[in-house]
Amino acid sequence: MDFEPEVTATSMPEATEFAEPLERSAFGAATLTPLEFLRDTEGLLRRKTLATLSPVLPPPVAISLQDASEVADESLNQLAEIDLDEISDEELKPARILIGLTFSGFGALFLVLLLLYLYLLHPELSPVEQVREYWYQYIWFVCLGVAGMMMLGREAMRPKD
């Protein structure tokens, strides 16, 4: 017995150039926005985890976890109401500057901490030996700072409308 249908050239559906967006459900025809998708996916995982952990945890911890889950539900519902198409480029400017400053600041902070670590805990190493031993960390921290500086430079060169 053969249960698979025969596929012929005439019975094959025509390929579309792009995939169609997923429908929300059989009840509604609206598509999910990225923030709604985040809310639904995170909520599904969080509720399942909460149901698994609650019987095992002590009652005060389980109640606190339930309260945190309710706060997360409220926050994600508010987040899902945001229309991403209505956010202007000018409204994103402070966030881009803040992220650039954060990257640069953390890169510099980590470099200083690495140098302090090497100076205090490995005084026997020369600067060349320090770079030879910890080059990977140096590269990561410098790249983090450079990425932040590039973000700030890009923001400074952005045309003003």
Side-chain angles (χ1 to χ4, degrees):
M1 269 210 265
D2 189 19
F3 292 108
E4 293 186 20
E6 228 177 84
V7 178
T8 62
T10 57
S11 68
M12 288 183 62
E14 291 186 27
T16 57
E17 190 171 336
F18 296 103
E20 297 294 324
L22 295 174
E23 298 293 325
R24 177 179 290 178
S25 67
F27 304 112
T31 58
L32 287 173
T33 64
L35 295 174
E36 289 172 338
F37 184 70
L38 171 71
R39 176 197 61 196
D40 296 345
T41 305
E42 191 277 338
L44 179 68
L45 294 172
R46 181 175 26 83
R47 286 184 208 100
K48 193 179 287 189
T49 304
L50 187 63
T52 304
L53 290 178
S54 290
V56 185
L57 296 172
V61 176
I63 291 170
S64 296
L65 194 60
Q66 182 65 34
D67 292 343
S69 178
E70 291 171 5
V71 170
D73 269 336
E74 292 172 13
S75 300
L76 288 170
N77 282 334
Q78 290 175 355
L79 186 66
E81 293 172 1
I82 296 173
D83 186 13
L84 295 176
D85 295 333
E86 291 182 6
I87 298 175
S88 70
D89 194 45
E90 192 63 32
E91 291 173 329
L92 292 175
K93 185 176 184 172
R96 288 191 298 260
I97 291 172
L98 185 64
I99 295 297
L101 288 171
T102 302
F103 275 37
S104 299
F106 276 120
L109 175 69
F110 291 149
L111 262 175
V112 167
L113 290 176
L114 178 63
L115 291 173
L116 185 65
Y117 167 79
L118 292 172
Y119 179 76
L120 292 177
L121 298 178
H122 297 287
E124 73 278 0
L125 295 177
S126 70
V128 173
E129 290 171 331
Q130 290 175 356
V131 171
R132 186 179 304 132
E133 289 290 321
Y134 294 95
W135 67 271
Y136 196 74
Q137 288 83 0
Y138 275 113
I139 297 298
W140 268 106
F141 301 153
V142 168
C143 286
L144 189 63
V146 168
M149 294 304 291
M150 291 187 73
M151 293 171 87
L152 291 171
R154 180 175 181 259
E155 191 59 37
M157 291 187 296
R158 189 179 293 269
K160 294 177 177 43
D161 292 331

